[in-house]
Amino acid sequence: MKVSSYHSSNKSDPDVYHDHSDCPTGQQIPSYNKVSGTGGFPRCKQCVDKG
């Protein structure tokens, strides 16, 4: 399901943003590292594939 854009604040995570609640990569981001918005990053390929 589409959600508001978010990305990780952890510098070791990929520099991408997510916008699907069921994105496997996005689901691995701990809640304390989730930041709202795109962060100026490109969209995650898994989220792009989901539509």
Side-chain angles (χ1 to χ4, degrees), residues 2-51:
K2 275 275 233 192
V3 295
S4 296
S5 300
Y6 65 94
H7 64 281
S8 176
S9 62
N10 186 335
K11 298 298 181 197
S12 66
D13 285 341
D15 289 339
V16 295
Y17 78 88
H18 309 277
D19 59 6
H20 278 82
S21 60
D22 57 349
C23 175
T25 305
Q27 288 177 332
Q28 292 179 9
I29 302 172
S31 59
Y32 55 84
N33 279 345
K34 280 188 183 178
V35 180
S36 293
T38 66
F41 300 130
R43 194 168 168 219
C44 163
K45 177 165 179 4
Q46 291 169 316
C47 288
V48 169
D49 291 346
K50 290 181 177 293

